[in-house]
Amino acid sequence: MDTSITLAIISIFLPFGYFLFLTAKRMLLSPVSKWTLNHGFSVISVLGCILFIVQKILNNPYEFDFDFFIMDKINLKAGFLVDESNVDYLIYSMLAFLVVSIFCSFYFKNKKQFIFTRQRFYAFLSLICFNTILFFTSATIIQSFVFFALQGLIIYIFSYFDIYKSTTNYNLNRFYRIYLLGDFAFLGAILVFCKYASISNGYIDIAELNYSNLDSLISYSYGLNNYAEFALGAFCFFLAAFSRLFIFPLNCFYSFSINSSNPLYMTLISASNCALGYFLFLKTIPYLEIMGDNRIYFEIFIVSTIIITLILMLFEKNLKIIFGQVFSIINALFILSVCYFDSQVCLYIFFILTIILTLAVQKLFLLDVISLKKRPVELRKGFFVEKIHIYTFEKFPTFFSDIFNILTKKVNFSVIPFIFRGFDIIASFLIKKFTKNSRIMTLRNILIIFASVILFAIFITLFGNFQEI
C-alpha cells in the first residue's frame, strides 16, 4: 500500500479508534488506566496533526471513492479526499482539539468531582473530532452535508451528557435550532446546485457533485439569467456558513451555551465550529465574485453585524458570552478580509488568532475567572439578542404550528372534497400552462413547487413543536 494512502487512513480514523476503545471499555465495565484517560486524546491529536503535516509536505493527494447506493439508474457515490484543498483545515482542527485536550487535562486535574465522567467526555470529544475530519475529507458536497448536520446532532447529544447536568432543555433546544437553521440552509443550497447540475446536459453529475466543480456550477446558474434562484443559492450557502461562524443575530448561540461546562464550551468555540464555518464560507467566493458592485451591500451587512455585536458586548458580564461575541467579531472580520485580500493568507491569520484567543480563554477558565465584576454599561439589555432568537426561532414558528393544530381539530372535513376539487382546477391550469414549455422546464417547475411544500412542512414540524420537546 502506498505511504500516502496509509498515512491518510490512519490519520482519518485515529479519533474513531479511540472512541471505540473508550466505548468498549465502558460497555464492558472495564477500567481505563489513569494515564490513558488523561493523555490518550492528546496523543491522538498530536499524531493526527503530525500525519496531516507530513501529507501536506509530501503533497501526494489521496482519494478513495466507492458506490454508496445503487438502484436502477440511481448511483450515489461517497469517498474520502485529502489534498491541498482541505489539509490546512485538517491540521488546524487537530491542533485545536489538541489545545482543548490539554486544557481538559488541567481542568479535570483541578476538578476532582468530575473524575467519573471523563471517560464519557473524551468519548464524545473523539466522536466530534472524527466527524470534523470526515466533513473536511468528504469527496462530494452531499456527503459533506451529512457530516455537517451530524456535527450539530452530536454536539446536541453531547450537551445532554455534559460533565454536569445544569444545562436546561430550553437552552439546548434554542442553540440547536441555530445548527438546524444552518443544516436546512445548506440543504437548500444543495437543492439549487442539483437542479442546475441536472440540466447541465451531463457536464456535471449530481452523484459526483463536489467543491471543485462548484465554481463552474455557480457561473452556469448565473448565466441562465434566473437571478432569483441564483440569489436563493447564495443566501442559503452564506446562511449555512454564518450558522457555524455565529454572525449576528446567530451569535446568541453563546448566550444559550453558557450553562455548558467549560471544557465543552472550549470545544464548541475553537475546535468544532470555526473551522467548518471558514471552510464553507471560502466555498462561497464564486458568489462574491459574481456579485460585482452589489457586493458592497454584503460588506455593509458584515460591518453592521460587527458594530452591533460590539455594542451588545457592553451590556454583558459573563465571560463566556463576551468571548463568544469576540469570536463572532473575529469571524465577521475574516469574512470582510476575504473580500479584499488573499483568502489563503486570511485563513492562516485567523487560524492563529483563534488559537491565541482560545489560549487566553482557557487561562481565565483555569483561574476560575468566568465573570466580570460588573457590566461596562450597567443596563440590563443583555437579553436583547436572545429575545430576537426566541421570536425568530420559537414564537413565530409556534404561531404557525398552533394555527395548523387548530385547523386540524376545528375544520369541517366534509369540505375536503371541495378543496381537492380546487387543487384539481389549479393543477389543470398549471398543466396547460406548463405544456407550452419543454419537458425539462415542466419538470423543473413541478420539483420547485414540491420542494417548497416539503421544506415548509419540515420547518413547521421541527421548529414549531418547541413546547413539546
Side-chain angles (χ1 to χ4, degrees), residues 142 189-199 206 209 217:
I142 296 177
I190 289 176
L191 291 176
V192 174
F193 299 151
C194 288
K195 179 241 174 168
Y196 283 101
S198 65
I199 61 176
I206 297 178
L209 182 61
L217 190 61

Side-chain angles (χ1 to χ4, degrees), residues 38-39 41-42 95-111 118 121-122 125 163 261-267 269-270 320 358-370:
N38 289 335
H39 308 291
F41 186 75
S42 298
L95 180 61
F97 278 108
L98 172 61
V99 171
V100 169
S101 178
I102 294 174
F103 165 75
C104 291
S105 299
F106 285 103
Y107 187 83
F108 285 125
K109 182 179 179 180
N110 296 331
K111 309 293 181 180
R118 283 181 296 171
F121 183 89
Y122 282 120
L125 190 61
I163 57 179
S261 67
N262 293 338
L264 178 58
Y265 178 85
M266 296 305 310
T267 304
I269 65 172
S270 61
K320 286 185 178 180
T358 300
L359 292 173
V361 178
Q362 291 177 349
K363 177 66 175 179
L364 292 176
F365 283 176
L366 289 175
L367 296 175
D368 288 328
V369 179
I370 58 174

Side-chain angles (χ1 to χ4, degrees), residues 25-66:
K25 286 287 188 179
R26 187 173 182 86
M27 293 178 65
L28 297 174
L29 300 179
S30 177
V32 180
S33 67
K34 184 177 180 180
W35 190 92
T36 302
L37 195 57
N38 289 335
H39 308 291
F41 186 75
S42 298
V43 173
I44 295 295
S45 301
V46 170
L47 289 176
C49 189
I50 293 174
L51 290 176
F52 284 127
I53 291 175
V54 171
Q55 291 174 78
K56 181 177 176 62
I57 295 173
L58 294 177
N59 195 22
N60 191 4
Y62 161 75
E63 184 174 4
F64 173 71
D65 296 315
F66 59 94

Side-chain angles (χ1 to χ4, degrees), residues 156 169-184 243 250 253 389 392-394 397-398 461-469:
Y156 179 65
N169 291 350
Y170 265 32
N171 277 346
L172 290 178
N173 293 326
R174 283 169 177 167
F175 80 66
Y176 183 54
R177 275 173 170 75
I178 298 178
Y179 282 122
L180 281 178
L181 179 65
D183 297 344
F184 278 103
S243 71
L250 303 181
F253 172 90
H389 176 74
T392 304
F393 298 101
E394 294 170 14
T398 302
T461 301
L462 287 180
F463 288 81
N465 295 328
F466 174 79
Q467 296 175 343
E468 299 177 6
I469 295 178

Side-chain angles (χ1 to χ4, degrees), residues 174-318:
R174 283 169 177 167
F175 80 66
Y176 183 54
R177 275 173 170 75
I178 298 178
Y179 282 122
L180 281 178
L181 179 65
D183 297 344
F184 278 103
F186 198 176
L187 178 60
I190 289 176
L191 291 176
V192 174
F193 299 151
C194 288
K195 179 241 174 168
Y196 283 101
S198 65
I199 61 176
S200 64
N201 297 321
Y203 178 72
I204 299 176
D205 186 358
I206 297 178
E208 298 179 356
L209 182 61
N210 54 57
Y211 293 107
S212 62
N213 52 36
L214 191 59
D215 191 354
S216 301
L217 190 61
I218 292 174
S219 300
Y220 178 70
S221 65
Y222 183 76
L224 291 181
N225 296 321
N226 193 334
Y227 190 77
E229 293 181 10
F230 170 81
L232 176 63
F235 175 78
C236 289
F237 217 3
F238 285 136
L239 186 57
F242 289 175
S243 71
R244 296 309 188 263
L245 297 176
F246 304 113
I247 305 300
F248 178 85
L250 303 181
N251 55 355
C252 59
F253 172 90
Y254 298 109
S255 300
F256 294 140
S257 62
I258 59 172
N259 287 326
S260 59
S261 67
N262 293 338
L264 178 58
Y265 178 85
M266 296 305 310
T267 304
L268 296 181
I269 65 172
S270 61
S272 67
N273 289 319
C274 287
L276 269 68
Y278 290 159
F279 179 85
L280 212 56
F281 178 75
L282 289 182
K283 302 305 178 183
T284 67
I285 288 181
Y287 281 117
L288 294 175
E289 293 173 346
I290 294 176
M291 283 181 182
D293 295 336
N294 293 327
R295 196 172 69 181
I296 186 65
Y297 300 109
F298 177 81
E299 295 169 1
I300 291 174
F301 169 75
I302 297 300
V303 172
S304 301
T305 64
I306 295 174
I307 295 173
I308 293 173
T309 305
L310 284 170
I311 294 174
L312 292 175
M313 285 176 58
L314 299 176
F315 305 107
E316 297 295 347
K317 184 178 179 180
N318 190 292

